[in-house]
Amino acid sequence: MKWVPADLGTFEKTPEYVDTAVIPLLPVAFKDGMKESAAMTEFTTLLTSQLERQLQGRILLIPGLSYLKESRSESLDQLKRWETELLDKQFKHVFAVTSDFDWKQDEGQLRGMLLWLPTLPLQHMDEKTKGSVMEDQVRQLMNLFIQKWRD
């Protein structure tokens, strides 16, 4: 389910089926690293959108947490607050999805699960290839989700 009124209406009627929240982590950098952060944001956004389509009815895709790359420590605090809110209110699982490797150093501070995937160069792919590559990535992620749900 997406963070849109229609999906949230359905979610409110059947919250027992939606036990997983997904938070895309979207870096923003200016000057040095602008293109790289844009590529990471594009990849993570496409990936989590396709993941939501595949697992609709079981996950809620939270709006992405955009953060300044050079102020990531502040974003860590915000992510921890989001996790606490989500886990304490209703959700059994929270997944933060990113292509920013810097998050890996803080993974142990999170209550949920951090999923890091390297950015793929989508800007050099045609739409058909891009779709195929993203489907492969989503399949791999789905296996991680299913394994976590079984634990």
Side-chain angles (χ1 to χ4, degrees):
M1 300 184 159
K2 297 179 203 145
W3 193 262
V4 295
D7 284 3
L8 293 176
T10 303
F11 169 72
E12 289 173 335
K13 292 176 189 168
T14 58
E16 64 276 8
Y17 297 112
V18 183
D19 66 351
T20 303
V22 175
I23 306 169
L25 302 176
L26 309 174
V28 177
F30 298 102
K31 292 188 180 184
D32 296 334
M34 186 182 274
K35 277 188 169 181
E36 180 186 12
S37 71
M40 286 190 268
T41 294
E42 178 187 27
F43 177 76
T44 302
T45 300
L46 284 172
L47 182 70
T48 55
S49 292
Q50 285 195 16
L51 183 67
E52 183 277 332
R53 277 194 289 278
Q54 292 293 322
L55 299 174
Q56 190 175 20
R58 181 73 193 259
I59 70 170
L60 178 62
L61 179 58
I62 305 297
L65 174 58
S66 298
Y67 61 94
L68 291 172
K69 191 105 161 83
E70 58 272 0
S71 302
R72 198 181 49 71
S73 63
E74 295 168 19
S75 301
L76 174 62
D77 292 337
Q78 184 175 5
L79 177 58
K80 287 163 52 174
R81 287 191 304 272
W82 283 28
E83 281 184 323
T84 296
E85 182 74 16
L86 292 164
L87 290 167
D88 290 351
K89 299 291 187 211
Q90 171 161 0
F91 294 91
K92 293 179 186 171
H93 310 282
V94 174
F95 291 89
V97 181
T98 187
S99 284
D100 183 353
F101 187 76
D102 292 343
W103 281 99
K104 291 294 284 176
Q105 69 189 15
D106 299 316
E107 186 173 15
Q109 297 182 51
L110 301 175
R111 289 176 61 193
M113 182 174 222
L114 178 73
L115 298 176
W116 173 80
L117 291 99
T119 305
L120 299 176
L122 300 176
Q123 70 271 19
H124 303 298
M125 297 179 192
D126 61 49
E127 289 303 313
K128 186 176 180 179
T129 304
K130 188 186 300 187
S132 177
V133 166
M134 293 308 291
E135 284 176 22
D136 289 343
Q137 294 293 309
V138 167
R139 263 194 298 280
Q140 291 177 36
L141 272 186
M142 284 176 50
N143 289 333
L144 289 170
F145 277 63
I146 292 167
Q147 181 181 13
K148 185 71 171 172
W149 289 333
R150 288 182 181 157
D151 289 344

